[in-house]
Short mmCIF file of all heavy atoms in Angstrom, two decimals:
data_model
loop_
_atom_site.label_atom_id
_atom_site.label_comp_id
_atom_site.label_asym_id
_atom_site.label_seq_id
_atom_site.Cartn_x
_atom_site.Cartn_y
_atom_site.Cartn_z
N GLY H 131 -8.02 7.03 -321.24
CA GLY H 131 -8.05 8.18 -320.34
C GLY H 131 -8.97 9.28 -320.85
O GLY H 131 -10.04 9.00 -321.37
N PRO H 132 -8.54 10.55 -320.68
CA PRO H 132 -7.19 11.01 -320.35
C PRO H 132 -6.84 11.03 -318.87
O PRO H 132 -5.70 11.25 -318.51
CB PRO H 132 -7.18 12.44 -320.91
CG PRO H 132 -8.58 12.90 -320.72
CD PRO H 132 -9.44 11.70 -320.97
N ALA H 133 -7.85 10.85 -317.99
CA ALA H 133 -7.59 10.91 -316.55
C ALA H 133 -7.43 9.51 -315.98
O ALA H 133 -7.98 8.53 -316.51
CB ALA H 133 -8.71 11.64 -315.83
N ALA H 134 -6.68 9.41 -314.89
CA ALA H 134 -6.46 8.11 -314.26
C ALA H 134 -7.71 7.61 -313.57
O ALA H 134 -7.99 6.42 -313.54
CB ALA H 134 -5.30 8.21 -313.27
N GLU H 135 -8.50 8.54 -312.99
CA GLU H 135 -9.69 8.16 -312.25
C GLU H 135 -10.94 8.29 -313.10
O GLU H 135 -11.01 9.13 -314.00
CB GLU H 135 -9.85 9.04 -311.01
CG GLU H 135 -8.74 8.90 -309.98
CD GLU H 135 -8.96 9.82 -308.80
OE1 GLU H 135 -9.80 9.49 -307.94
OE2 GLU H 135 -8.30 10.86 -308.73
N CYS H 136 -11.91 7.45 -312.79
CA CYS H 136 -13.23 7.54 -313.43
C CYS H 136 -14.11 8.37 -312.50
O CYS H 136 -14.56 7.90 -311.46
CB CYS H 136 -13.82 6.13 -313.62
SG CYS H 136 -15.49 6.12 -314.33
N ILE H 137 -14.34 9.63 -312.87
CA ILE H 137 -15.08 10.56 -312.03
C ILE H 137 -16.40 10.94 -312.70
O ILE H 137 -16.41 11.41 -313.84
CB ILE H 137 -14.25 11.84 -311.76
CG1 ILE H 137 -12.97 11.48 -311.01
CG2 ILE H 137 -15.06 12.86 -310.99
CD1 ILE H 137 -13.18 10.93 -309.62
N VAL H 138 -17.51 10.74 -311.98
CA VAL H 138 -18.82 11.18 -312.46
C VAL H 138 -19.19 12.43 -311.66
O VAL H 138 -19.51 12.34 -310.47
CB VAL H 138 -19.90 10.10 -312.27
CG1 VAL H 138 -21.25 10.61 -312.77
CG2 VAL H 138 -19.51 8.82 -312.99
N PRO H 139 -19.12 13.62 -312.26
CA PRO H 139 -19.40 14.85 -311.53
C PRO H 139 -20.86 14.95 -311.12
O PRO H 139 -21.75 14.52 -311.85
CB PRO H 139 -19.04 15.96 -312.52
CG PRO H 139 -18.26 15.30 -313.61
CD PRO H 139 -18.73 13.89 -313.65
N LYS H 140 -21.10 15.50 -309.95
CA LYS H 140 -22.47 15.77 -309.53
C LYS H 140 -23.04 16.89 -310.40
O LYS H 140 -22.32 17.76 -310.86
CB LYS H 140 -22.51 16.18 -308.06
CG LYS H 140 -22.19 15.04 -307.10
CD LYS H 140 -22.30 15.49 -305.66
CE LYS H 140 -22.01 14.33 -304.71
NZ LYS H 140 -22.10 14.74 -303.29
N GLY H 141 -24.34 16.85 -310.60
CA GLY H 141 -24.97 17.84 -311.46
C GLY H 141 -25.07 17.36 -312.89
O GLY H 141 -24.94 16.16 -313.17
N GLU H 142 -25.29 18.29 -313.78
CA GLU H 142 -25.57 17.95 -315.19
C GLU H 142 -24.48 18.39 -316.15
O GLU H 142 -24.70 18.41 -317.36
CB GLU H 142 -26.90 18.59 -315.60
CG GLU H 142 -28.11 18.00 -314.92
CD GLU H 142 -28.30 16.52 -315.24
OE1 GLU H 142 -28.14 16.16 -316.42
OE2 GLU H 142 -28.60 15.75 -314.33
N ILE H 143 -23.30 18.74 -315.64
CA ILE H 143 -22.27 19.25 -316.54
C ILE H 143 -21.84 18.20 -317.57
O ILE H 143 -21.52 18.52 -318.71
CB ILE H 143 -21.05 19.77 -315.75
CG1 ILE H 143 -20.07 20.46 -316.70
CG2 ILE H 143 -20.39 18.67 -314.94
CD1 ILE H 143 -18.99 21.25 -316.01
N THR H 144 -21.83 16.91 -317.17
CA THR H 144 -21.54 15.84 -318.14
C THR H 144 -22.75 14.93 -318.33
O THR H 144 -22.63 13.87 -318.91
CB THR H 144 -20.33 15.01 -317.68
OG1 THR H 144 -20.65 14.39 -316.42
CG2 THR H 144 -19.08 15.85 -317.52
N LYS H 145 -23.90 15.34 -317.79
CA LYS H 145 -25.17 14.61 -317.95
C LYS H 145 -25.09 13.17 -317.44
O LYS H 145 -25.69 12.27 -318.01
CB LYS H 145 -25.62 14.64 -319.41
CG LYS H 145 -25.86 16.04 -319.93
CD LYS H 145 -26.33 16.04 -321.38
CE LYS H 145 -26.58 17.46 -321.87
NZ LYS H 145 -27.02 17.50 -323.28
N GLY H 146 -24.33 12.98 -316.39
CA GLY H 146 -24.26 11.65 -315.77
C GLY H 146 -23.14 10.78 -316.27
O GLY H 146 -22.94 9.67 -315.76
N ALA H 147 -22.39 11.23 -317.27
CA ALA H 147 -21.26 10.44 -317.79
C ALA H 147 -20.00 10.76 -316.99
O ALA H 147 -19.89 11.82 -316.37
CB ALA H 147 -21.03 10.75 -319.27
N CYS H 148 -19.04 9.85 -317.02
CA CYS H 148 -17.77 10.14 -316.37
C CYS H 148 -17.00 11.13 -317.25
O CYS H 148 -17.28 11.29 -318.44
CB CYS H 148 -16.96 8.86 -316.14
SG CYS H 148 -16.11 8.23 -317.60
N THR H 149 -16.01 11.80 -316.66
CA THR H 149 -15.28 12.83 -317.40
C THR H 149 -14.46 12.24 -318.55
O THR H 149 -14.27 12.89 -319.58
CB THR H 149 -14.35 13.61 -316.46
OG1 THR H 149 -13.49 12.71 -315.77
CG2 THR H 149 -15.17 14.40 -315.43
N ASN H 150 -13.98 11.01 -318.42
CA ASN H 150 -13.23 10.38 -319.50
C ASN H 150 -14.11 10.14 -320.73
O ASN H 150 -13.71 10.43 -321.86
CB ASN H 150 -12.61 9.07 -319.03
CG ASN H 150 -11.36 9.27 -318.19
OD1 ASN H 150 -10.70 10.30 -318.29
ND2 ASN H 150 -11.04 8.31 -317.35
N CYS H 151 -15.31 9.60 -320.49
CA CYS H 151 -16.22 9.34 -321.62
C CYS H 151 -16.69 10.65 -322.24
O CYS H 151 -16.80 10.76 -323.46
CB CYS H 151 -17.42 8.52 -321.14
SG CYS H 151 -17.03 6.78 -320.77
N HIS H 152 -16.94 11.65 -321.41
CA HIS H 152 -17.37 12.95 -321.93
C HIS H 152 -16.25 13.59 -322.77
O HIS H 152 -16.51 14.14 -323.84
CB HIS H 152 -17.74 13.88 -320.77
CG HIS H 152 -18.42 15.14 -321.20
ND1 HIS H 152 -19.76 15.19 -321.53
CD2 HIS H 152 -17.95 16.41 -321.37
CE1 HIS H 152 -20.08 16.43 -321.88
NE2 HIS H 152 -18.99 17.18 -321.79
N TYR H 153 -15.03 13.49 -322.29
CA TYR H 153 -13.88 14.02 -323.03
C TYR H 153 -13.77 13.34 -324.39
O TYR H 153 -13.47 13.99 -325.40
CB TYR H 153 -12.61 13.78 -322.23
CG TYR H 153 -11.34 14.22 -322.91
CD1 TYR H 153 -10.80 15.49 -322.69
CD2 TYR H 153 -10.65 13.37 -323.79
CE1 TYR H 153 -9.64 15.90 -323.33
CE2 TYR H 153 -9.50 13.76 -324.43
CZ TYR H 153 -8.99 15.03 -324.20
OH TYR H 153 -7.84 15.43 -324.84
N SER H 154 -14.02 12.05 -324.44
CA SER H 154 -13.86 11.30 -325.70
C SER H 154 -15.04 11.47 -326.65
O SER H 154 -15.05 10.89 -327.74
CB SER H 154 -13.68 9.80 -325.38
OG SER H 154 -12.56 9.61 -324.53
N GLY H 155 -16.05 12.23 -326.23
CA GLY H 155 -17.22 12.42 -327.08
C GLY H 155 -18.15 11.23 -327.07
O GLY H 155 -19.00 11.08 -327.95
N LYS H 156 -18.01 10.34 -326.07
CA LYS H 156 -18.84 9.14 -325.98
C LYS H 156 -19.62 9.11 -324.67
O LYS H 156 -19.84 8.05 -324.08
CB LYS H 156 -17.96 7.89 -326.10
CG LYS H 156 -17.24 7.79 -327.43
CD LYS H 156 -16.38 6.53 -327.50
CE LYS H 156 -15.67 6.42 -328.85
NZ LYS H 156 -14.81 5.22 -328.94
N GLY H 157 -20.02 10.31 -324.23
CA GLY H 157 -20.74 10.39 -322.97
C GLY H 157 -22.03 9.59 -322.96
O GLY H 157 -22.41 9.01 -321.94
N LYS H 158 -22.73 9.54 -324.10
CA LYS H 158 -23.99 8.80 -324.16
C LYS H 158 -23.79 7.30 -323.95
O LYS H 158 -24.73 6.59 -323.58
CB LYS H 158 -24.67 9.03 -325.51
CG LYS H 158 -25.18 10.45 -325.70
CD LYS H 158 -25.89 10.61 -327.02
CE LYS H 158 -26.44 12.01 -327.20
NZ LYS H 158 -27.14 12.19 -328.50
N GLU H 159 -22.58 6.81 -324.22
CA GLU H 159 -22.31 5.38 -324.09
C GLU H 159 -21.76 5.01 -322.71
O GLU H 159 -21.59 3.83 -322.41
CB GLU H 159 -21.29 4.95 -325.16
CG GLU H 159 -21.77 5.22 -326.58
CD GLU H 159 -20.68 4.95 -327.61
OE1 GLU H 159 -19.71 4.22 -327.28
OE2 GLU H 159 -20.79 5.46 -328.74
N CYS H 160 -21.46 6.01 -321.88
CA CYS H 160 -20.90 5.73 -320.56
C CYS H 160 -21.91 4.93 -319.74
O CYS H 160 -23.09 5.28 -319.66
CB CYS H 160 -20.58 7.05 -319.83
SG CYS H 160 -19.87 6.81 -318.18
N SER H 161 -21.47 3.85 -319.14
CA SER H 161 -22.40 2.97 -318.40
C SER H 161 -23.03 3.69 -317.22
O SER H 161 -24.16 3.39 -316.83
CB SER H 161 -21.65 1.71 -317.92
OG SER H 161 -20.54 2.05 -317.11
N HIS H 162 -22.34 4.68 -316.64
CA HIS H 162 -22.93 5.47 -315.55
C HIS H 162 -24.11 6.29 -316.07
O HIS H 162 -25.16 6.36 -315.42
CB HIS H 162 -21.89 6.40 -314.93
CG HIS H 162 -20.90 5.70 -314.06
ND1 HIS H 162 -21.27 4.95 -312.97
CD2 HIS H 162 -19.54 5.63 -314.12
CE1 HIS H 162 -20.19 4.46 -312.39
NE2 HIS H 162 -19.13 4.84 -313.08
N ARG H 163 -23.94 6.92 -317.22
CA ARG H 163 -25.02 7.74 -317.79
C ARG H 163 -26.18 6.86 -318.23
O ARG H 163 -27.35 7.22 -318.01
CB ARG H 163 -24.49 8.55 -318.97
CG ARG H 163 -25.58 9.38 -319.64
CD ARG H 163 -25.01 10.33 -320.66
NE ARG H 163 -26.07 10.99 -321.41
CZ ARG H 163 -25.88 11.93 -322.33
NH1 ARG H 163 -24.64 12.34 -322.59
NH2 ARG H 163 -26.89 12.47 -322.97
N VAL H 164 -25.89 5.72 -318.83
CA VAL H 164 -26.95 4.80 -319.27
C VAL H 164 -27.79 4.36 -318.08
O VAL H 164 -29.02 4.35 -318.14
CB VAL H 164 -26.33 3.58 -319.99
CG1 VAL H 164 -27.40 2.52 -320.25
CG2 VAL H 164 -25.67 4.00 -321.30
N ALA H 165 -27.12 4.01 -316.98
CA ALA H 165 -27.84 3.56 -315.79
C ALA H 165 -28.69 4.69 -315.21
O ALA H 165 -29.83 4.48 -314.78
CB ALA H 165 -26.85 3.06 -314.74
N LYS H 166 -28.16 5.91 -315.22
CA LYS H 166 -28.89 7.05 -314.69
C LYS H 166 -30.13 7.35 -315.52
O LYS H 166 -31.20 7.65 -314.98
CB LYS H 166 -27.97 8.27 -314.66
CG LYS H 166 -28.48 9.43 -313.83
CD LYS H 166 -27.40 10.50 -313.70
CE LYS H 166 -27.84 11.62 -312.76
NZ LYS H 166 -26.79 12.65 -312.60
N GLU H 167 -30.00 7.26 -316.85
CA GLU H 167 -31.14 7.53 -317.73
C GLU H 167 -32.21 6.45 -317.60
O GLU H 167 -33.40 6.74 -317.72
CB GLU H 167 -30.66 7.67 -319.17
CG GLU H 167 -29.85 8.94 -319.40
CD GLU H 167 -29.33 9.07 -320.82
OE1 GLU H 167 -29.37 8.04 -321.55
OE2 GLU H 167 -28.87 10.16 -321.20
N LYS H 168 -31.80 5.22 -317.33
CA LYS H 168 -32.77 4.14 -317.13
C LYS H 168 -33.59 4.40 -315.87
O LYS H 168 -34.80 4.14 -315.83
CB LYS H 168 -32.05 2.79 -317.02
CG LYS H 168 -31.62 2.21 -318.36
CD LYS H 168 -31.00 0.84 -318.20
CE LYS H 168 -30.63 0.25 -319.55
NZ LYS H 168 -29.99 -1.09 -319.40
#
Side-chain angles (χ1 to χ4, degrees):
E135 296 179 77
C136 177
I137 298 295
V138 180
K140 290 182 178 180
E142 292 298 317
I143 187 168
T144 62
K145 299 181 179 179
C148 79
T149 55
N150 282 336
C151 288
H152 190 80
Y153 177 94
S154 303
K156 298 180 179 179
K158 292 182 179 180
E159 301 173 19
C160 181
S161 57
H162 286 302
R163 178 171 172 176
V164 171
K166 194 172 185 178
E167 290 178 346
K168 282 184 178 179

